[in-house]
Structures are given as structure tokens and as C-alpha cells.
């Protein structure tokens, strides 16, 4: 009998089993659950419907395991969005949910950034969120996955949910990361080579020297984009960096889980990252990749630095290094992923660099990444963006065009007004 | 189940075209239904009738976890989506919320069935019958848990053994 992967071990523990294997269906206990201003009101609608049918819903299974983010349509973009925020307020009050990150009241931001920045989730835990990019948090070495509001409502009442234990695809990222390469280039390369459904229903696990070398912020980019390969979860086994990162943020106890030596992986992929070149995903798929240097004739109208994938502190820092002392030739937007990142960027002088480059700096929000607000695109407008999706209409008009890239490529492109390899701006 | 099929012969029909992002703040199901498939086919909501089906390629429903996607389709009238494969969150949302049936079919059905064909779906016999052409295709049987949740009428009506 072979050993278990980290994903299998976490799900075995959570479902009170000695062992589980890929394909097993389990009802697993959930450690942490998150809703935001889209999924929270959806959950409340499901609960109201249950009450209408005569089921009493006066409490959630454990309010201390539930947390709330406000990120998609905030600050409230219109009356409906404002109502949804009021619904979240009622939800936290009614169920006694203490961890609710409110905009305009200190720390708040995009849920996937808060999940790790605020240590809402810890290594070894089972974490579900009402958002597809919940996979992000798996870089802490937890099982993190996204689902819809009916499933989240079920978790709120029962504290558990069904999972099919996923097969694991193991990605070995070897070599040293060149200074012009970021995790975004690596994950776009992986998605481009293998397709947007290579990991459907499966886990994507990352390991190797290049992962060890990455700061946590970069690891979150890898796991965030596993959603774009269809993955159920993205995961990285904890190392000293992970533990230090978590310990800086909480003294809540956790247990580090690692896979067995003889764990079974469905497939192993190896990438030598020192050979990579900066990569861009063209419209209308994250798998539609090309080298940035091949796209030098693409003129852009917008450069967007934002979202859970591309507005962490490291993302802003790398963009600022390129933009320092330069002017953007196109409309440039910067939206830090959380209030704390915003404040750190202010203290460290990054905001001055962006402002002097001509950028508009927006509040932490999902913003235009999901076409909600804060600079959505018009018909035929071309944007180079640090976000994670470029489907038709994702950032605005269905005939707008989004090129996905690393913060370095976006900053370099802003400087030249064309898709640009960061090596070509010096 | 009987209905007419709307065929979109492409892979990766994502949740952003099924129900575009700006509508995510809307919680009213009938309002969402007015925008079903808007990013791909603005005429869809005018054409679709109650009980109709969608036929598509691989990875239907990829992208967001928005339950608005199966809700919009369901309230627009769609009772089942037939596809070569489904993205995982769309699949579990469709089943757990009991909005519509996500039915995996093979290349034979995908290639043989045309837009506008009248279909009959039998999930007990795992058959898709093309009544317009007089042909029968196999559908992939639902995994046992999925079938039990479907039979119960959604996750909240299902009692785990």
C-alpha cells in the first residue's frame, strides 16, 4: 500500500479515516469557511428558503470558524451592492461572526489575500470559501477550495461537506528564478502547456528548488492560478518560510502536514525555471500564451495592477522597481489587494512611485478584475493586467481584450505603451 | 425529460459568458435569468423554452464559483446541460442546488446531435435519445453520491448514510 499525499492526509484526518485515496468520496469536517459580498448574500438566500420550508436556522455550526470579506463590489458601487453589504452586516450580527473585515473600518481587502495575511486559515486545515480562487490559500499547506453558495450554506449549518478525494498532479519547479521571471510567468507557462482543464477535479501540488526560493507572496500566485487549470485545490507543503509567515501573524496552534515519501501522484511535471522567459496570456484564455517579446507590436490602452493574484505587496514592489522615475504611456491603475498592503506601500514609498508614473490608485477591491467597477474596459480596449482571467467580457465589454501577465511585464508595458518584456526597459 | 437542444460547439464556455460579472450582485433568480448566456449569445434568452437543453464541448462552466451560472440557466428554462466535460464547481453547484442536470456525453452525441434537435433524456437508463434523428446515445452514469443527491432533490434534502 502506497503512502498518502498532503491533500489525502488532510482529507483523511478531516473525515476521521485512517486513509483515503483518489476517487474516494468523503464528508469532511471543515475548519474554516469564508463568504464575501457575492457569496454571503447567496448563502442568506438559501437559509431564508430553508426557513420558508419550515427548517429552523437560528445558528451556524461554529461562528468562530466563519469569516466574512467585503471585496467584489466595494466600496458599494450602487444600491444593490449596498444592500448586499447590509446583508453581510445582518449575517455577522445574527450568527455572532466576529471576523468580518469591513471596508472603511481598518483592515479589509480581497478575501484570498486576507486569508493568509490575517492568518484566517492555517497549515493542515480544511478551508472552503464561496469563491473559486479560494485555492490561493493552499500555499500555506492547507486544503483550500472554492464552492457555490448552496454548498457554503450547507457547511455553515452542518460543519462538513462532501468531497471526491482528488488525484494529485505534482509540479516540480527546478532551478533558480531569473530576476525577470515571476511566479505568474511560471503558472501561465504551466497552464499554456497543459490546458485550462488539465487539473479538473484534481489537486495541483508544487515543489522543488524554485518554490523553496519563492517568497510566500509568489507561492500564492501559483496556487491562485490553479483555478485556471480547473484544479480542485492547489497546495504546497509547508517549509520554514511558511511556518515563519504564519507565526508572525497568529499564535493559534496548527499541525504541519506533509505527504509520505511513497505518496502516489497521478503525473509528475518538471519545469526548469531558469530557462523561462516572460510570458503573457492573450485573449481569451489563460492558456493562450506567448512570450512577451513576441507581442511587441501589441499596443495597449490600459495597464492594470490589481486582484488577489497580482496586487500583493511583492507584486506592487516589483512593479514599482520598474516604474520608478518613469511615466506610464497609458492609463495605469494600481489597486492594492488589502488595506495593510496599501499602508505598507505608502510607508515604503511605492505609492509615490506609482503616482509620479501617472497612475490612479484605487481602494482594495476585486474591481475591474471581474468587470465590476474601477476601470472596466470599453469595446476594443486593450489591457495588460496582473489579474487571473481574460475570458470574453471578463474586465468589461465582451470585445475588450485582456493580456494576463506578471506585475513586471505590466509595469514594463505601461512604460512603453506596448506589451513589453521587462528586460527591454532596463 | 424532453426538450429542444441549443448547441454551442465549443470548449471552455466559462461562467463569465454564462452570466457576466456585473450581474453577480443580483440575487433575484428571475432577473439573473434575463442575462443567461449573454456573453456568448444575446438571442439565447429569446430562444430558450422551459425544459430545453444546452449541448457544448469540454470544460463547460469553467471559471468562477458563481452559483449565478446554473441559476441563470435554470431560471431561463434549461433543465440539463449536456457536455463532453464540466468544470468542477459548476458541476457541484448544478447538482447540490438542484438547478439542472449536468450530463456528460461522448463525442458521438456531441457530433451527432444538431442545434434544434428534440431530445429525450433518461437518467435511469443513462440514455440520450435524439427524437429528431431517431438515434440513441449513452450518457455517462452519475457517480453514486451524485445520483443520490439528484434523487433527493439537492444537497439539503439528502441525508448522508
Amino acid at each position: 500500500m502506497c503512502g498518502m499525499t498532503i491533500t489525502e492526509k488532510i482529507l483523511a484526518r478531516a473525515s476521521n479515516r485512517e486513509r483515503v485515496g483518489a476517487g474516494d468520496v468523503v464528508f469532511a469536517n471543515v475548519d474554516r469557511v469564508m463568504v464575501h459580498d457575492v457569496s454571503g448574500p447567496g448563502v442568506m438566500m438559501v437559509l431564508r428558503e430553508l426557513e420558508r420550508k419550515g427548517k429552523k436556522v437560528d445558528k451556524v455550526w461554529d461562528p468562530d470558524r466563519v469569516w466574512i470579506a467585503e471585496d467584489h463590489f466595494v466600496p458599494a458601487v450602487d444600491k444593490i451592492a449596498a444592500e448586499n453589504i447590509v446583508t453581510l452586516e445582518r449575517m455577522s450580527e445574527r450568527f455572532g461572526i466576529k471576523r468580518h473585515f469591513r471596508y472603511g473600518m481598518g483592515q479589509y481587502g480581497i478575501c484570498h489575500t486576507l486569508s493568509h495575511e490575517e492568518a484566517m486559515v492555517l497549515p493542515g486545515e480544511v478551508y472552503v470559501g464561496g469563491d473559486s480562487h479560494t485555492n490561493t490559500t493552499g500555499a500555506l499547506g492547507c486544503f483550500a477550495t472554492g464552492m457555490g453558495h448552496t454548498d457554503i450554506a450547507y457547511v455553515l449549518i452542518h460543519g462538513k461537506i462532501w468531497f471526491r478525494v482528488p488525484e494529485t498532479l505534482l509540479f516540480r519547479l527546478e532551478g533558480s528564478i531569473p530576476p525577470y521571471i515571476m511566479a505568474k510567468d511560471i503558472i501561465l507557462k504551466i497552464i499554456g502547456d497543459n490546458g485550462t482543464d488539465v487539473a479538473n477535479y484534481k489537486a495541483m501540488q508544487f515543489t522543488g528548488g524554485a518554490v523553496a526560493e519563492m517568497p510566500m507572496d509568489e507561492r500564492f500566485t501559483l496556487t491562485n492560478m490553479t483555478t485556471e487549470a480547473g484544479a480542485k485545490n492547489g497546495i504546497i507543503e509547508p517549509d520554514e518560510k511558511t511556518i515563519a509567515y504564519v507565526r508572525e501573524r497568529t499564535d493559534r496552534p496548527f499541525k504541519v502536514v506533509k505527504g509520505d515519501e511513497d505518496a502516489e501522484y497521478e503525473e509528475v511535471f518538471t519545469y526548469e525555471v531558469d530557462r523561462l522567459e516572460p510570458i503573457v496570456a492573450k485573449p481569451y484564455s489563460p492558456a493562450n500564451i506567448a512570450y512577451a517579446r513576441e507581442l511587441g507590436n501589441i499596443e495597449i490602452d490600459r495597464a492594470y495592477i490589481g486582484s488577489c493574484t497580482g496586487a500583493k505587496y511583492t507584486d506592487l514592489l516589483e512593479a514599482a522597481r520598474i516604474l520608478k522615475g518613469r511615466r506610464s504611456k497609458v492609463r495605469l491603475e494600481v489597486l492594492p489587494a488589502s488595506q495593510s498592503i496599501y499602508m505598507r506601500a505608502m510607508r515604503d514609498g511605492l505609492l509615490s512611485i506609482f503616482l509620479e508614473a501617472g497612475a490612479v490608485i484605487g481602494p482594495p477591491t476585486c474591481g475591474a478584475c471581474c468587470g465590476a467597477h474601477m476601470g472596466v474596459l470599453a469595446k476594443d480596449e486593450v489591457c495588460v493586467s496582473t489579474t487571473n482571467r481574460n475570458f470574453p467580457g471578463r474586465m468589461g465589454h465582451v470585445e475588450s481584450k485582456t493580456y494576463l501577465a506578471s506585475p513586471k511585464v505590466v509595469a514594463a508595458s505601461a512604460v512603453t505603451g506596448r506589451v513589453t518584456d521587462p528586460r527591454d526597459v532596463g | 425529460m424532453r426538450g429542444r437542444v441549443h448547441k454551442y460547439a465549443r470548449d471552455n464556455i466559462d461562467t463569465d459568458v454564462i452570466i457576466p460579472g456585473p450581474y453577480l450582485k443580483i440575487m433575484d433568480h428571475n432577473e439573473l435569468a434575463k442575462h443567461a448566456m449573454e456573453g456568448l449569445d444575446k438571442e439565447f434568452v429569446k430562444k430558450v423554452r422551459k425544459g430545453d437543453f444546452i449541448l457544448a464541448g469540454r470544460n463547460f462552466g469553467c471559471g468562477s464559483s458563481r452559483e449565478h451560472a446554473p441559476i441563470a440557466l435554470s431560471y431561463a428554462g434549461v433543465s440539463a446541460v449536456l457536455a463532453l466535460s464540466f468544470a468542477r464547481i459548476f458541476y457541484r453547484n448544478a447538482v447540490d442546488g438542484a438547478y439542472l442536470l449536468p450530463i456528460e456525453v461522448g463525442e458521438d452525441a456531441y457530433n451527432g446531435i444538431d442545434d434544434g434537435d428534440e431530445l429525450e433524456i433518461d437518467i435511469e437508463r443513462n440514455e440520450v435519445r435524439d427524437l429528431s434523428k431517431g438515434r440513441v446515445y449513452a450518457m455517462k452514469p452519475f457517480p453514486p453520491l451524485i445520483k443520490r443527491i439528484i434523487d433527493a432533490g439537492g444537497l439539503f434534502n439528502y441525508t448522508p448514510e
Side-chain angles (χ1 to χ4, degrees):
Chain A
M1 198 185 293
C2 64
M4 288 190 284
T5 64
I6 174 174
T7 295
E8 289 167 340
K9 279 189 170 177
I10 293 171
L11 288 175
R13 190 264 308 155
S15 54
N16 299 313
R17 297 190 187 200
E18 276 293 304
R19 58 177 293 121
V20 298
D24 292 350
V25 175
V26 299
F27 269 83
N29 295 316
V30 171
D31 297 300
R32 297 281 144 182
V33 57
M34 178 280 299
V35 297
H36 54 42
D37 57 314
V38 172
S39 51
V43 165
M44 293 307 282
M45 198 170 52
V46 173
L47 299 184
R48 271 200 306 276
E49 181 64 14
L50 287 173
E51 286 182 320
R52 201 182 59 79
K53 289 178 182 163
K55 186 173 163 62
K56 199 173 163 213
V57 186
D58 55 356
K59 59 180 179 6
V60 296
W61 110 102
D62 187 346
D64 291 338
R65 293 177 182 275
V66 186
W67 66 282
I68 299 178
E70 300 174 352
D71 55 14
H72 275 65
F73 295 90
V74 299
V77 304
D78 61 13
K79 286 179 282 186
I80 300 172
E83 280 300 324
N84 287 338
I85 297 299
V86 171
T87 300
L88 290 183
E89 288 287 6
R90 290 203 188 108
M91 182 178 184
S92 51
E93 189 187 332
R94 175 171 164 191
F95 296 123
I97 298 163
K98 296 183 201 82
R99 302 310 301 268
H100 179 161
F101 297 93
R102 297 165 168 87
Y103 78 84
M105 296 184 73
Q107 172 69 320
Y108 89 101
I110 304 176
C111 56
H112 309 304
T113 306
L114 296 176
S115 74
H116 51 86
E117 267 207 327
E118 293 297 317
M120 299 314 299
V121 184
L122 300 180
E125 292 188 332
V126 171
Y127 168 51
V128 299
D131 191 283
S132 62
H133 289 109
T134 301
N135 293 25
T136 312
T137 318
L140 292 176
C142 56
F143 176 83
T145 191
M147 37 187 65
H149 54 240
T150 294
D151 282 343
I152 296 293
Y154 189 90
V155 172
L156 285 187
I157 292 175
H158 298 282
K160 58 176 72 176
I161 190 75
W162 68 269
F163 295 107
R164 179 188 163 281
V165 178
E167 295 83 3
T168 294
L169 307 180
L170 184 67
F171 292 83
R172 289 188 185 285
L173 310 182
E174 303 294 0
S176 199
I177 305 166
Y180 43 84
I181 291 295
M182 295 188 72
K184 187 67 165 286
D185 299 291
I186 300 171
I187 191 68
L188 286 175
K189 171 74 175 157
I190 289 172
I191 296 167
D193 284 354
N194 301 290
T196 51
D197 62 353
V198 63
N200 202 4
Y201 303 100
K202 297 174 185 171
M204 287 173 85
Q205 184 175 333
F206 302 92
T207 188
V211 178
E213 201 181 275
M214 281 180 196
M216 291 305 294
D217 271 2
E218 284 283 90
R219 298 182 188 182
F220 292 115
T221 299
L222 293 180
T223 46
N224 176 285
M225 297 284 294
T226 62
T227 305
E228 271 30 84
K232 172 171 286 178
N233 66 309
I235 198 160
I236 298 171
E237 291 184 346
D239 61 7
E240 283 171 12
K241 268 186 201 169
T242 321
I243 293 163
Y245 182 93
V246 175
R247 274 288 153 257
E248 279 169 26
R249 290 163 169 80
T250 183
D251 49 14
R252 209 154 58 80
F254 62 91
K255 199 169 166 230
V256 167
V257 179
K258 293 189 181 189
D260 294 319
E261 291 275 322
D262 58 344
E264 195 173 7
Y265 299 97
E266 187 181 76
E267 204 171 339
V268 179
F269 301 77
T270 302
Y271 281 85
E272 303 289 341
V273 303
D274 36 15
R275 293 191 202 150
L276 280 185
E277 299 199 29
I279 284 179
V280 172
K282 300 177 285 181
Y284 288 101
S285 167
N288 192 18
I289 60 170
Y291 291 118
R293 278 184 173 164
E294 296 176 302
L295 301 176
N297 60 338
I298 304 286
E299 290 187 15
I300 60 170
D301 304 298
R302 309 274 208 99
Y304 187 91
I305 298 170
S307 87
C308 50
T309 332
K312 300 176 267 41
Y313 183 79
T314 303
D315 299 316
L316 301 190
L317 179 66
E318 294 300 335
R321 282 182 173 150
I322 289 173
L323 288 165
K324 189 170 185 181
R326 292 179 162 129
R327 293 282 300 181
S328 176
K329 279 199 178 155
V330 297
R331 293 182 195 273
L332 170 63
E333 284 181 68
V334 181
L335 292 88
S338 72
Q339 182 95 338
S340 56
I341 293 170
Y342 201 146
M343 290 171 75
R344 191 175 163 200
M346 177 180 70
R347 282 195 302 271
D348 294 354
L350 307 188
L351 299 189
S352 301
I353 293 172
F354 295 134
L355 290 169
E356 281 160 18
V360 58
I361 300 176
T365 173
C366 301
C369 173
C370 57
H373 63 137
M374 291 284 159
V376 297
L377 305 179
K379 184 172 185 292
D380 298 326
E381 270 196 309
V382 178
C383 179
V384 178
S385 176
T386 65
T387 55
N388 44 33
R389 286 189 182 134
N390 58 352
F391 303 141
R394 172 72 182 179
M395 291 186 77
H397 194 278
V398 77
E399 289 174 47
S400 62
K401 296 185 178 72
T402 297
Y403 289 77
L404 304 174
S406 77
K408 289 187 191 195
V409 171
V410 172
S413 304
V415 169
T416 65
R418 293 163 179 274
V419 174
T420 300
D421 186 309
R423 289 172 291 183
D424 299 334
V425 291
Chain B
M1 298 164 67
R2 268 177 81 153
R4 213 166 35 125
V5 68
H6 303 268
K7 183 170 177 178
Y8 296 96
R10 58 170 79 193
D11 298 336
N12 302 312
I13 292 178
D14 63 79
T15 51
D16 277 300
V17 300
I18 297 171
I19 184 79
Y23 302 124
L24 295 186
K25 57 182 184 275
I26 297 173
M27 296 297 147
D28 183 304
H29 293 182
N30 291 310
E31 190 60 34
L32 287 171
K34 292 179 191 166
H35 304 287
M37 302 295 275
E38 189 172 291
L40 185 60
D41 179 5
K42 281 203 154 60
E43 302 300 308
F44 176 76
V45 290
K46 293 178 199 157
K47 295 185 291 193
V48 67
R49 282 182 239 143
K50 193 166 168 50
D52 278 2
F53 309 120
I54 284 175
L55 173 63
R58 290 167 60 91
N59 206 24
F60 185 91
C62 62
S64 154
S65 62
R66 60 190 71 166
E67 201 157 309
H68 308 56
I71 289 171
L73 294 178
S74 172
Y75 280 74
V78 176
S79 61
V81 176
L82 292 73
L84 292 174
S85 66
F86 289 90
R88 56 166 285 272
I89 307 182
F90 182 90
Y91 189 93
R92 70 182 295 153
N93 282 346
V95 170
D96 287 354
Y99 300 112
L100 54 85
L101 295 179
I103 292 177
E104 282 190 52
V105 294
E107 295 278 354
D108 54 347
Y110 180 59
N111 294 323
I113 295 170
D114 287 313
D115 187 53
D117 283 1
E118 191 78 15
L119 304 183
E120 186 172 50
I121 295 173
D122 183 339
I123 64 164
E124 300 308 323
R125 295 173 131 185
N126 297 311
E127 282 180 2
V128 176
R129 299 174 200 127
D130 187 332
L131 303 176
S132 303
K133 297 204 171 66
R135 293 187 64 178
V136 180
Y137 303 98
M139 59 170 263
K140 190 172 163 190
F142 292 109
L145 173 71
I146 301 298
K147 182 68 167 53
R148 291 198 294 271
I149 294 172
I150 290 170
D151 289 343
L155 184 60
F156 273 102
N157 298 320
Y158 167 75
T159 313
E161 288 92 75

